Amino acid sequence: MDYRRFADTVVLRLDPGEEILTCIKDLAVRENIGLAEVSGLGAVNDIQVGVFYTDEKEYHANHFHGYYEITSLTGTVTRMDGEPYLHLHMSAGDVKGNVIGGHLNAATVSATAEIILRIIPGRVGRRADEKIGLNLFDFE
């Protein structure tokens, strides 16, 4: 992982074998990021994405392994209980052009990932919402 910070923007490069969520969380700790918008692209070979079943109030994960290009990586960095909280969604295309996606649980970089974090002044927390079953924005 290597990055540069330019005022309210962080440009992040991930290298083969690095896991996207782990690296973004580590960056959020190092740079004390309380609120940011995330976008990115790159190549991955091991992906776990999920879909939230609203009636069950839980995520169901799908695991994919192979050659994939990230067509979209988007989400937010907030804080929950003082720690960085990532909420990212990703879609990725395979060698035949089929696209998979969902709530990102894990993704390992195969070649590189180029990720931009746009830091937003202020902080937004998270709170568990028992009715919905998710950790929602908390504007304290």
Side-chain angles (χ1 to χ4, degrees):
M1 173 175 81
D2 198 9
Y3 71 92
R4 296 295 177 270
R5 184 168 179 167
F6 305 96
D8 66 348
T9 303
V10 176
V11 179
L12 171 66
R13 184 197 72 232
L14 301 184
D15 299 315
E18 293 186 306
E19 199 284 311
I20 290 174
L21 291 170
T22 301
C23 290
I24 294 174
K25 186 172 183 176
D26 289 349
L27 174 68
V29 170
R30 284 186 202 176
E31 292 292 324
N32 193 30
I33 297 171
L35 180 59
E37 176 184 14
V38 178
S39 62
L41 49 78
V44 291
N45 60 7
D46 193 25
I47 308 164
Q48 188 176 36
V49 289
V51 174
F52 187 72
Y53 284 38
T54 54
D55 54 341
E56 297 175 13
K57 298 182 184 174
E58 64 182 38
Y59 280 98
H60 290 256
N62 295 300
H63 187 227
F64 302 92
H65 188 78
Y67 299 104
Y68 289 91
E69 291 287 330
I70 299 170
T71 57
S72 177
L73 174 66
T74 186
T76 57
V77 177
T78 54
R79 293 280 171 151
M80 185 167 184
D81 300 325
E83 297 295 319
Y85 184 97
L86 307 182
H87 184 193
L88 301 178
H89 287 200
M90 187 178 88
S91 59
D94 68 13
V95 296
K96 293 185 178 181
N98 299 306
V99 176
I100 53 93
H103 176 87
L104 184 60
N105 297 327
T108 302
V109 174
S110 59
T112 191
E114 299 174 355
I115 300 170
I116 307 295
L117 284 83
R118 187 178 65 80
I119 300 168
I120 302 166
R123 292 196 184 255
V124 171
R126 291 278 176 170
R127 64 171 172 77
D129 185 296
E130 299 302 322
K131 181 178 177 184
I132 296 173
L134 294 170
N135 297 320
L136 304 179
F137 279 156
D138 184 9
F139 300 107
E140 302 163 356

